[in-house]
């Protein structure tokens, strides 16, 4: 198994329809950096090593910051996106993330609040994404750079949510994770079609 294939397996990405598996393969073939870049070893290590009693709080804290930052990326680059379809996709992402963040924050409140260590881990992992996006924007390539980075972030969200589905005993967290997997799988599929010219 290649390093890239191992990263995909470790992240726990399980696609249940042929089109998603084909798109994931095409992504790996056309851009290995995108396919492997989402592995974020510190995030996965934190999820694996967190005891069951604290898992839900860790997962939700990671996901909360991830969604806050990807929403921020959308807000930051919305004005620089010239393609109407990509602009519409971004606005929908922003709105959807706002809704999910409210649900995450409500559940975190019942678990004792946000885990500061998890937030710092996510911030450090997302720093490279921000750097790449800002470089692309400076070069006038926001339409090309932004969707590529958002694909990797979609994969990251799916991987974290799959871990939650495997470990959580909390029905609310399980349902939230299930919704995230479904929504992000759809977003990744749309963006991969877009990146392959299906505008």
């Amino acid at each position: 198994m290649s390093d890239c294939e191992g990263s995909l397996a470790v992240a726990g990405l399980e696609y249940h329809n042929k089109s998603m598996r084909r798109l994931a393969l095409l992504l790996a073939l056309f851009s290995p950096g995108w396919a492997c870049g989402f592995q974020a070893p510190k995030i996965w290590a934190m999820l694996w090593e967190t005891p069951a009693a604290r898992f839900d709080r860790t997962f939700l804290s990671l996901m909360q910051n991830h969604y806050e930052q990807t929403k921020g990326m959308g807000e930051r680059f919305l004005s620089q996106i010239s393609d109407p379809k990509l602009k519409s996709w971004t606005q929908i992402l922003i709105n959807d993330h706002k809704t999910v963040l409210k649900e995450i924050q409500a559940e975190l409140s019942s678990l004792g609040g946000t885990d500061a260590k998890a937030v710092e881990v996510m911030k450090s992992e997302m720093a490279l994404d921000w750097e790449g996006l800002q470089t692309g924007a400076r070069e006038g390539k926001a339409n090309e750079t932004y969707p590529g980075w958002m694909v990797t972030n979609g994969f990251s969200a799916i991987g974290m949510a799959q871990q939650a589905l495997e470990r959580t005993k909390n029905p609310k967290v399980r349902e939230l994770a299930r919704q995230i997997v479904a929504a992000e799988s759809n977003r990744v599929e749309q963006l991969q079609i877009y990146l392959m010219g299906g505008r």
Side-chain angles (χ1 to χ4, degrees):
M1 179 180 287
S2 71
D3 290 342
C4 183
E5 290 168 337
S7 297
L8 286 167
V10 164
L13 302 181
E14 297 177 358
Y15 294 103
H16 301 289
N17 62 68
K18 292 180 180 179
S19 69
M20 278 304 296
R21 287 196 293 271
R22 284 197 298 268
L23 287 166
L25 176 60
L26 285 169
L27 178 67
L29 290 172
F30 284 112
S31 187
W34 289 353
C36 299
F38 72 91
Q39 61 184 312
K42 291 181 182 178
I43 294 173
W44 308 125
M46 175 169 273
L47 286 171
W48 297 330
E49 295 168 5
T50 298
R54 299 202 309 269
F55 177 82
D56 290 343
R57 186 178 178 216
T58 297
F59 161 67
L60 291 173
S61 297
L62 288 167
M63 189 62 74
Q64 178 186 43
N65 190 258
H66 184 270
Y67 264 31
E68 285 174 347
Q69 293 209 56
T70 49
K71 179 176 73 70
M73 289 173 182
E75 292 168 340
R76 167 69 175 79
F77 292 97
L78 189 62
S79 63
Q80 298 184 38
I81 299 169
S82 59
D83 186 281
K85 188 170 184 179
L86 185 58
K87 189 179 284 286
S88 174
W89 181 94
T90 300
Q91 188 60 66
I92 292 170
L93 176 140
I94 292 168
N95 295 339
D96 287 352
H97 276 26
K98 287 179 179 177
T99 299
V100 176
L101 279 167
K102 288 179 181 178
E103 295 180 42
I104 291 174
Q105 289 157 2
E107 191 58 29
L108 272 173
S109 294
S110 71
L111 296 172
T114 303
D115 181 338
K117 185 177 179 181
V119 170
E120 287 307 309
V121 167
M122 182 58 72
K123 283 183 177 179
S124 69
E125 295 289 355
M126 296 290 283
L128 180 62
D129 298 42
W130 277 104
E131 182 181 340
L133 282 166
Q134 289 165 350
T135 298
R138 284 195 299 271
E139 295 172 354
K141 298 178 180 178
N143 274 13
E144 293 79 16
T145 306
Y146 171 74
W149 280 106
M150 296 310 282
V151 166
T152 67
N153 277 298
F155 275 130
S156 291
I158 294 167
M160 287 187 287
Q162 288 283 14
Q163 289 291 318
L165 288 172
E166 293 174 10
R167 294 197 58 189
T168 188
K169 305 299 183 184
N170 184 325
K172 290 182 180 178
V173 175
R174 176 174 293 279
E175 178 58 20
L176 186 58
R178 188 196 65 76
Q179 291 174 8
I180 288 170
V181 169
E184 294 298 334
S185 296
N186 183 54
R187 272 194 273 270
V188 166
E189 182 173 13
Q190 290 175 353
L191 276 187
Q192 288 183 100
I193 292 170
Y194 176 89
L195 287 164
M196 288 186 287
R199 291 169 171 76

